[in-house]
Amino acid sequence: MRSNFCYAKVELIDKRDLANENPHNLAGKCCGGLLAPDAQKMIAKLGLGIPKDILVNPQLFAVRTIDLTNNLERLYQRFYLNMDREKFDRWLVSILPKKVDKKFNSVFKGFVEIPGGYEIRYIHNGQEISAKTKAIIGADGAFSKLRRFLNQDINSPEKYIAIQEWYECPHHVPYFTAIFDEEISDFYSWIIPKENYLLLGSALKPKEKAREKYELLKTKLTQRGFNFDNKIRTEGAYLYRPKKVSQFYAGRDSIALVGEAAGGISPSSAEGISYALKSSAYLAQSLEEGIDGFLDRYKLKVKGIKLNLLLKNLKSPAMYNPLLRQLAMKSGLQSIDRAE
């Protein structure tokens, strides 16, 4: 491979090809594709409206909660937008300013400090490219390569592996289902209907027989009447679960992290889109005043995100302590009854 230099005011590097349609929807992002109320609020604050062709059936207004540990089940009213995650990402890319130089099918390799900034290296269509920049922004998720480059000793959130499989489902399923079972995970599992498919996913400890526990989950749910015979595909990804505010890391020098790369993801629900949008907006506001001092301004703005993570962790015991969860579900507080 030969090395070239390229210069751009803003350069976007992504290993996916978000410029061209993926007709077979292969190698999609491991995501349930639900836009939670917090994320909807951020979309509104940004002055955006989601095109209808991004949405998929059914739209969901309730969460079916199944506690396998305590053999309990409840229905709670919640409001989610059910969407095609790949189309959502393509839409976000489509509204970027034309001056942004988009480098898809690219893999970030590393960076070195140079006078006045950094020189980054990445592979684009099999060719090694170098680019000089004054600032680097990492939005590369829970297994952030940039975060690891910054400091191996950074206090990182607890890491899980999300396994999600798609199954054919000709029957109408009107709920987002959340499943709790301490034999499977100390986090949670989910079932999401999407057009003629069911998505079964689980957040699992990566070194604790994750695949075996996923299969056990399927067995238990099959015994409750679910059908997982016709599998279409399997997806997987790392997932962060911040247990401490100190695990949110904004960056250093002129290198900033946003979204899950920074540790912005709900420790109670694993919802991450709202944190990605909010942290990115804060960073953009910090950069509007110039490169100098932008990270200090960003760190001040994300204090609200840190407070939110703290509150989410205070909420978690009611969901993830089996006894407290049992008491909450048996009380019927805020639950709704399904009309026969």
Side-chain angles (χ1 to χ4, degrees), residues 252-310:
R252 66 167 172 82
D253 301 328
S254 293
I255 302 174
L257 301 174
V258 296
E260 199 174 353
I265 185 170
S266 171
S268 58
S269 67
E271 188 276 324
I273 294 177
S274 68
Y275 294 92
L277 294 173
K278 187 174 294 185
S279 58
S280 298
Y282 287 157
L283 181 59
Q285 292 165 7
S286 302
L287 283 165
E288 282 178 352
E289 298 179 40
I291 296 290
D292 292 341
F294 84 90
L295 191 61
D296 290 333
R297 296 190 291 272
Y298 177 52
K299 288 179 179 179
L300 285 174
K301 290 179 181 294
V302 298
K303 285 184 176 180
I305 292 178
K306 291 183 176 182
L307 176 60
N308 179 272
L309 292 174
L310 174 63

Side-chain angles (χ1 to χ4, degrees), residues 57-94:
N57 291 324
Q59 293 307 305
L60 304 171
F61 305 108
V63 175
R64 179 186 180 186
T65 302
I66 300 177
D67 184 341
L68 293 176
T69 301
N70 295 310
N71 193 30
L72 293 170
E73 185 173 326
R74 287 287 186 185
L75 197 64
Y76 298 93
Q77 187 176 20
R78 296 290 186 272
F79 301 98
Y80 296 96
L81 290 180
N82 197 359
M83 64 179 186
D84 183 314
R85 178 55 197 270
E86 182 176 314
K87 287 184 178 180
F88 178 73
D89 289 351
R90 291 182 187 282
W91 167 65
L92 290 176
V93 167
S94 74

Side-chain angles (χ1 to χ4, degrees), residues 19-266:
N20 299 300
E21 291 294 329
N22 183 356
H24 303 294
N25 200 25
L26 299 175
K29 187 178 182 67
C30 182
C31 174
L34 296 182
L35 205 63
D38 285 348
Q40 296 173 33
K41 184 177 180 180
M42 276 307 302
I43 292 286
K45 282 187 172 184
L46 292 170
L48 300 173
I50 296 178
K52 65 179 181 180
D53 65 338
I54 290 174
L55 303 179
V56 298
N57 291 324
Q59 293 307 305
L60 304 171
F61 305 108
V63 175
R64 179 186 180 186
T65 302
I66 300 177
D67 184 341
L68 293 176
T69 301
N70 295 310
N71 193 30
L72 293 170
E73 185 173 326
R74 287 287 186 185
L75 197 64
Y76 298 93
Q77 187 176 20
R78 296 290 186 272
F79 301 98
Y80 296 96
L81 290 180
N82 197 359
M83 64 179 186
D84 183 314
R85 178 55 197 270
E86 182 176 314
K87 287 184 178 180
F88 178 73
D89 289 351
R90 291 182 187 282
W91 167 65
L92 290 176
V93 167
S94 74
I95 60 178
L96 288 173
K98 292 187 182 300
K99 64 183 179 181
V100 174
D101 188 6
K102 297 176 279 291
K103 297 292 185 182
F104 298 121
N105 298 310
S106 300
V107 179
F108 175 72
K109 300 299 291 184
F111 69 93
V112 294
E113 292 190 46
I114 60 173
Y118 305 93
E119 181 181 315
I120 64 169
R121 293 181 299 104
Y122 61 95
I123 304 298
H124 176 64
N125 292 332
Q127 182 182 20
E128 182 171 298
I129 306 292
S130 296
K132 293 179 180 179
T133 180
K134 291 183 178 180
I136 305 175
I137 311 303
D140 48 342
F143 202 54
S144 171
K145 184 179 290 187
L146 189 58
R147 182 168 177 147
R148 298 198 308 276
F149 279 149
L150 287 176
N151 191 340
Q152 292 286 348
D153 298 324
I154 293 172
N155 183 17
S156 293
E158 191 168 354
K159 192 180 296 178
Y160 289 75
I161 183 169
I163 299 176
Q164 180 171 270
E165 293 182 339
W166 289 58
Y167 297 89
E168 288 184 356
C169 181
H171 309 295
H172 177 67
V173 178
Y175 310 123
F176 163 40
T177 303
I179 304 131
F180 300 91
D181 185 343
E182 278 64 31
E183 188 179 6
I184 305 298
S185 173
D186 65 350
F187 212 174
Y188 84 110
S189 306
W190 58 88
I191 295 173
I192 299 171
K194 209 167 287 285
E195 297 292 349
N196 297 317
Y197 304 98
L198 271 187
L199 281 60
L200 172 64
S202 186
L204 304 152
K205 293 289 184 66
K207 296 182 180 179
E208 296 182 10
K209 299 180 179 179
R211 189 72 221 190
E212 291 180 24
K213 291 186 176 181
Y214 184 84
E215 294 300 323
L216 177 61
L217 171 67
K218 283 200 288 187
T219 298
K220 290 186 175 188
L221 291 173
T222 298
Q223 292 169 354
R224 297 181 75 96
F226 289 94
N227 187 316
F228 304 113
D229 287 340
N230 300 314
K231 183 169 73 174
I232 303 301
R233 70 172 186 262
T234 302
E235 301 167 334
Y238 283 105
L239 179 72
Y240 269 159
R241 190 184 188 188
K243 297 290 187 69
K244 302 176 182 178
V245 171
S246 60
Q247 292 171 339
F248 185 94
Y249 182 66
R252 66 167 172 82
D253 301 328
S254 293
I255 302 174
L257 301 174
V258 296
E260 199 174 353
I265 185 170
S266 171

